[in-house]
């Protein structure tokens, strides 16, 4: 059992039990941290040596053209070779790589490393036969089924760049991402299940493709078995393609340059359209491999479950790549936590003997509402470690998670990171003493600071901008097609330091406490959305002349979207119109973006240069001081 002690700084501290310490891969955090800080390149080189390379690097870290860092320059590698191929020569060949359960719990599919290799090779052969070559972009828009994992790995295997669009996004989001990436091929399913209902993904693809001339082919995986329109010559059923001779047989894993693109993933920034964050084969591979190994202490008999969606970075790094690089068994669940009952996740943990479980605070808060009786119906004794990600976890949720799910003996790894970082950046490892709500300290090789507007470090306990000081292997290599924006967005405010976009505090023990975004990014249930995207969905409705979106605190979601609309002549405010607009945003962007509340206004607070001052709206809505409003127009 762990013991509690109170600290004079930030309330309670939770210490690891002896059994956690005995099992931990990293027993002596301090000396590894010291070693990594004294020799950053040496630390990462040692990690890289644990993986297979077709050809070794010339330089571990090339920082001759900052901030365009390069990792493992000159090396030849393919992440899929390390996720699959290398395991086939070991006992892991027959180990389960992937376990999947359907939303209704009636279907289960399992794949050993041997069989996942077949599935991935088959899909890779098909993608190649569609004319996709190294460097081409492929958009993947699917539900949580094994084929989404195969599709990602199949692209990587042949050197194509995948761009996964979260299956909960709608038309506009999908279209924008296909267009921006100039994808040649789309891989989708007929539909996906969400709380017992079918989401017609293929129909959304059809709509989106009306404006996307780059896409030549669509592969459709059958999941729900409904009739969908298929355009001859363009749309192909996956199961039909699988029966062609071309699909079967070996598919060589392409030797890539370490710095060759692996995937792009769109994420919301402070302004304008979502940005395509670029990650590469070599560095991303070493980063996700190492962080998952050390932070979640993965062993060969573990059953790992990251309950995110493969369509977000969490799913990329820690459902697909990280676990398979470690030769782990990863669990993928099609459904959500509460359908048909709020015990669905706990049932899966019991059924599959999950030992390490990783989810988001919003899910914990949502499940807390249903009470302890639901988890208590299940045997959760297989669990040994828990994780949290996506937004700050409030101490009440932390304690509930620790006590009710972890039965007071599973340390919670609160991992702070971003789409851009690719891997955990501020996180404990299992033996680190925990304080509920803090991600503790930067990962090995990393250092963070909290700065004020002038770039000076603030005192401990004071809030400021969180920056990272050192390069790391899984760092974004830029914004696809927009190098200037990469420099401007992340490296300009404080030259030489990576600007995270978050505010945070550090306490006297050197523990970091994330407060939240300082830009126009809203985190709704852990999902990252941009005010600009919500606003552009709103003004695409005929009634709306101007719109402003802000995030306000929400008990379960963390933040919820509130919008302020100025109507065009001829339209007047009504409850019906408000509802229509909420629905309009959901239809265009996806249900997660549905505004909580629509307020009609005659005027929006703007600067004299015409920029909407969302900060002022936010303060007013919460009855807080409006801060500096000297730039507000008359
Ligand atoms: C933003 C990045 C990469 C994981 C999924 C989110 C917030 C993420 C934490 C955490 C407090 C967190 C930050 C960050 N965030 N993890 N453990 N504690 N805040 O990736 O969608 O790119 O969002 O999520 O605000 O900047 P993302």
């Amino acid at each position: 059992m762990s013991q509690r002690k109170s600290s004079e700084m930030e309330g309670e501290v939770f210490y690891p039990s002896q059994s956690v310490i005995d099992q931990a891969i990293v027993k002596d955090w301090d000396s590894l941290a010291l070693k990594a800080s004294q020799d950053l390149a040496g630390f990462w080189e040692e990690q890289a040596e644990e993986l297979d390379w077709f050809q070794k690097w010339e330089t571990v870290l090339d920082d001759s053209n900052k901030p365009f860092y390069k990792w493992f320059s000159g090396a030849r590698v393919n992440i899929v070779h390390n996720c699959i191929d290398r395991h086939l020569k070991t006992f892991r060949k027959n180990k389960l790589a992937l376990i999947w359960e359907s939303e209704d719990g009636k279907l289960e599919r399992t794949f050993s490393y041997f069989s996942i290799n077949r599935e991935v090779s088959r899909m890779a052969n098909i993608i190649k036969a569609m004319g996709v070559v190294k460097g081409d972009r492929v958009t993947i828009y699917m539900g949580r089924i094994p084929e989404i994992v195969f599709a990602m790995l199949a692209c990587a295997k042949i050197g194509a760049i995948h761009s996964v669009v979260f299956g909960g996004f709608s038309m506009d989001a999908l279209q924008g991402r296909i267009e921006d990436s100039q994808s040649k091929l789309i891989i989708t399913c007929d539909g996906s299940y969400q709380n017992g209902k079918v989401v017609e993904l293929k129909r959304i693809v059809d709509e989106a493709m009306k404006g996307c001339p780059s896409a030549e082919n669509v592969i459709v995986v059958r999941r729900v078995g409904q009739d969908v329109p298929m355009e001859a010559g363009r749309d192909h059923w996956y199961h039909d393609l699988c029966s062609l001779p071309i699909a079967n047989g070996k598919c060589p894993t392409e030797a890539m340059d370490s710095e060759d693109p692996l995937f792009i993933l769109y994420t919301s920034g402070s302004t304008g359209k979502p940005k395509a964050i670029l990650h590469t084969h070599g560095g991303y591979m070493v980063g996700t491999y190492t962080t998952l190994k050390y932070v979640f202490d993965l062993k060969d008999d573990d059953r790992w479950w990251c309950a995110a969606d493969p369509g977000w970075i969490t799913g990329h790094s820690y459902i697909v790549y990280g676990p398979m690089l470690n030769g782990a068994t990863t669990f993928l669940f099609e459904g959500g936590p509460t359908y048909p009952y709020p015990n669905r996740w706990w049932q899966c943990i019991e059924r599959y003997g999950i030992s390490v479980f990783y989810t988001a605070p919003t899910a914990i808060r949502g499940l807390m509402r249903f009470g302890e009786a639901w988890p208590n119906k299940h045997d959760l004794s297989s669990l040994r470690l828990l994780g949290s990600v996506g937004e700050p976890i409030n101490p009440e949720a932390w304690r509930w998670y620790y006590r009710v799910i972890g039965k007071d003996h599973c340390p919670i790894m609160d991992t702070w990171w971003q789409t851009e970082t690719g891997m955990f950046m501020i996180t404990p490892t299992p033996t680190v003493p925990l304080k509920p709500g803090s991600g503790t300290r930067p990962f090995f090789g990393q250092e963070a600071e909290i700065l004020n507007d002038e770039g000076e470090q603030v005192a401990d306990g004071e809030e400021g901008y969180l920056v990272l000081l050192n390069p790391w292997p899984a760092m974004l290599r830029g914004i696809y097609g927009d190098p200037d924006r990469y420099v401007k967005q992340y490296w300009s405010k404080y030259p030489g330091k990576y600007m995270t976009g978050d505010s945070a505090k550090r306490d006297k023990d050197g523990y970091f406490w994330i407060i939240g975004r300082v830009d126009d990014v809203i985190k709704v249930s852990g999902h990252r959305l941009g005010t600009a995207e919500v606003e552009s969905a709103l003004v695409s409705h005929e009634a709306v002349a101007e719109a402003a979106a802000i995030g306000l605190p929400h008990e379960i979601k963390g933040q919820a979207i509130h919008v302020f609309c100025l109507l065009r002549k001829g339209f007047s405010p009504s409850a019906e119109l408000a509802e229509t607009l909420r629905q309009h945003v959901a239809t265009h962007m996806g249900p997660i973006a549905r505004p909580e509340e629509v307020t009609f206004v005659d005027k929006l607070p703007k600067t004299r240069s015409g920029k909407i001052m969302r900060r002022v709206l936010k303060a007013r809505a919460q009855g807080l001081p409006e801060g500096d409003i000297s730039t507000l127009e008359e």
Side-chain angles (χ1 to χ4, degrees):
M1 291 298 280
S2 72
Q3 354 147 6
R4 279 188 199 196
K5 251 196 227 165
S6 68
S7 120
E8 68 269 37
M9 345 278 179
E10 305 280 348
E12 334 134 87
V13 180
F14 289 73
Y15 292 90
S17 66
Q18 195 54 46
S19 95
V20 168
I21 297 171
D22 290 343
Q23 285 185 63
I25 297 179
V26 178
K27 294 216 191 325
D28 187 353
W29 189 92
D30 293 293
S31 54
L32 194 54
L34 183 67
K35 196 176 144 191
S37 77
Q38 286 168 343
D39 182 8
L40 179 69
F43 170 78
W44 286 112
E45 179 162 40
E46 224 171 84
Q47 300 303 319
E49 295 281 4
E50 293 181 12
L51 297 160
D52 264 11
W53 301 77
F54 302 132
Q55 184 186 306
K56 288 277 170 75
W57 46 91
E58 281 149 22
T59 348
V60 174
L61 169 60
D62 172 358
D63 57 3
S64 56
N65 184 24
K66 294 173 188 170
F68 298 93
Y69 295 93
K70 288 184 182 160
W71 284 87
F72 308 106
S73 290
R76 308 289 290 171
V77 71
N78 188 307
I79 196 167
V80 175
H81 175 81
N82 281 289
C83 285
I84 302 179
D85 308 6
R86 77 180 177 118
H87 301 312
L88 303 180
K89 289 171 262 159
T90 71
F91 71 94
R92 287 182 180 143
K93 179 176 177 181
N94 294 314
K95 179 180 170 177
L96 287 184
L98 178 67
I99 304 174
W100 174 82
E101 183 170 299
S102 63
E103 181 180 78
D104 64 9
K106 290 181 185 151
L107 287 177
E108 179 198 281
R109 295 167 71 192
T110 56
F111 303 87
S112 64
Y113 277 92
F114 172 78
S115 61
I116 213 165
N117 182 48
R118 280 191 155 177
E119 297 286 350
V120 171
S121 299
R122 185 177 292 137
M123 200 175 281
N125 281 329
I126 289 170
I127 295 173
K128 256 206 261 185
M130 298 261 145
V132 172
V133 299
K134 188 169 170 172
D136 282 346
R137 276 78 57 214
V138 175
T139 293
I140 300 173
Y141 180 63
M142 301 171 84
R144 280 190 292 273
I145 56 173
E147 283 78 5
I148 189 172
V149 178
F150 307 157
M152 291 165 69
L153 294 165
C155 288
K157 187 174 172 72
I158 62 168
I161 305 169
H162 60 72
S163 166
V164 181
V165 179
F166 172 54
F169 276 134
S170 305
M171 228 295 279
D172 288 357
L174 177 62
Q175 186 173 57
R177 286 157 172 79
I178 298 174
E179 220 172 58
D180 185 82
S181 64
Q182 291 289 298
S183 287
K184 234 188 190 172
L185 170 70
I186 318 291
I187 308 178
T188 187
C189 1
D190 52 354
S192 65
Y193 289 107
Q194 181 150 39
N195 298 333
K197 291 196 206 81
V198 169
V199 182
E200 295 181 302
L201 296 181
K202 173 60 166 63
R203 280 181 201 277
I204 300 173
V205 169
D206 288 338
E207 272 304 300
M209 283 190 63
K210 286 182 185 156
C212 301
S214 68
E216 295 160 5
N217 289 292
V218 182
I219 296 177
V220 188
V221 175
R222 184 149 71 195
R223 169 61 187 118
V224 298
Q226 287 189 347
D227 248 5
V228 294
M230 297 288 280
E231 194 180 301
R234 186 194 76 176
D235 302 347
H236 318 268
W237 282 110
Y238 184 59
H239 55 267
D240 287 341
L241 298 169
C242 282
S243 62
L244 302 176
I246 177 74
N248 295 298
K250 286 212 162 80
C251 174
T253 303
E254 189 79 27
M256 307 294 288
D257 190 280
S258 176
E259 284 288 316
D260 274 339
L262 168 62
F263 65 82
I264 53 177
L265 187 58
Y266 287 85
T267 192
S268 302
S270 25
T271 48
K273 288 197 295 181
K275 311 169 278 195
I277 302 300
L278 173 67
H279 286 287
T280 55
H281 274 260
Y284 177 81
M285 172 180 84
V286 175
T288 53
Y289 165 75
T290 307
T291 45
L292 187 59
K293 177 184 66 172
Y294 283 154
V295 174
F296 285 104
D297 220 12
L298 281 193
K299 313 282 189 332
D300 258 309
D301 54 359
D302 272 317
R303 291 264 168 109
W304 160 257
W305 182 10
C306 164
D309 189 280
W312 303 101
I313 191 70
T314 315
H316 281 54
S317 298
Y318 299 112
I319 295 175
V320 182
Y321 291 111
M324 293 186 66
L325 288 166
N326 279 282
T329 300
T330 188
F331 176 63
L332 179 67
F333 176 48
E334 185 180 37
T338 55
Y339 180 83
Y341 301 107
N343 66 331
R344 203 58 185 88
W345 275 3
W346 319 130
Q347 186 177 45
C348 286
I349 290 178
E350 178 172 9
R351 271 189 193 161
Y352 298 100
I354 301 299
S355 53
V356 190
F357 178 64
Y358 183 46
T359 187
T362 183
I364 301 298
R365 288 192 296 265
L367 288 162
M368 269 171 81
R369 268 195 315 185
F370 294 100
E372 294 175 31
W374 290 102
N376 288 346
K377 286 191 349 186
H378 296 276
D379 177 2
L380 305 180
S381 61
S382 55
L383 289 172
R384 66 178 186 86
L385 278 176
L386 299 171
S388 173
V389 62
E391 48 174 326
I393 183 165
N394 47 311
E396 306 75 60
W398 196 101
R399 282 188 216 105
W400 190 87
Y401 193 25
Y402 188 77
R403 179 176 59 81
V404 178
I405 306 307
K407 312 293 179 200
D408 288 315
H409 70 89
C410 304
I412 299 174
M413 301 296 104
D414 182 354
T415 60
W416 176 91
W417 57 298
Q418 308 177 304
T419 306
E420 291 89 340
T421 70
M423 64 181 223
F424 309 144
M425 299 306 297
I426 296 180
T427 175
T429 58
T431 65
V432 169
L434 303 174
K435 301 184 192 184
S438 168
T440 77
R441 292 166 292 193
F443 187 73
F444 308 118
Q446 193 48 261
E447 282 171 87
E449 277 177 352
I450 316 267
L451 304 180
N452 63 17
D453 267 311
E454 285 70 50
E456 300 148 355
Q457 285 203 58
V458 303
D460 284 344
E462 271 175 35
E463 185 176 344
Y465 300 104
L466 176 70
V467 299
L468 301 173
L469 303 188
N470 299 334
W472 64 100
M475 65 198 298
L476 75 159
R477 292 304 191 277
I479 296 168
Y480 193 68
D482 198 348
D484 295 342
R485 196 165 166 196
Y486 167 66
V487 179
K488 201 165 155 238
Q489 187 96 37
Y490 303 102
W491 302 94
S492 303
K493 188 168 166 85
Y494 307 112
K497 297 179 181 178
Y498 172 84
M499 171 78 181
T500 64
D502 279 359
S503 65
K505 291 182 193 172
R506 187 170 59 193
D507 70 20
K508 283 191 274 177
D509 296 334
Y511 277 34
F512 287 82
W513 301 74
I514 307 296
I515 295 162
R517 300 289 308 188
V518 288
D519 51 13
D520 292 319
V521 167
I522 309 179
K523 289 243 106 186
V524 184
S525 302
H527 299 318
R528 179 164 160 182
L529 298 168
T531 50
E533 296 147 72
V534 179
E535 290 160 5
S536 92
L538 282 166
V539 297
S540 76
H541 189 278
E542 52 168 6
V544 181
E546 275 187 88
I550 58 169
L552 291 179
H554 184 279
E555 208 184 327
I556 307 282
K557 299 177 184 173
Q559 281 191 303
I561 300 175
H562 288 245
V563 301
F564 297 82
C565 297
L566 207 139
L567 296 178
R568 282 182 194 285
K569 279 213 174 66
F571 293 90
S572 45
S574 69
E576 291 75 50
L577 183 57
E579 188 46 39
T580 305
L581 293 176
R582 292 177 67 226
Q583 186 51 43
H584 181 79
V585 175
T587 311
H588 281 253
M589 284 186 69
I592 50 165
R594 186 193 305 272
E596 198 74 9
E597 217 177 281
V598 178
T599 307
F600 297 105
V601 293
D602 302 326
K603 212 170 182 223
L604 289 169
K606 285 187 187 167
T607 60
R608 276 182 282 273
S609 59
K611 275 200 204 138
I612 297 172
M613 294 183 83
R614 296 186 190 83
R615 173 172 70 73
V616 172
L617 283 169
K618 212 167 156 167
R620 282 181 192 166
Q622 299 179 89
L624 297 170
E626 289 177 15
D628 177 10
I629 50 168
S630 56
T631 57
L632 194 67
E633 67 179 357
E634 300 307 300

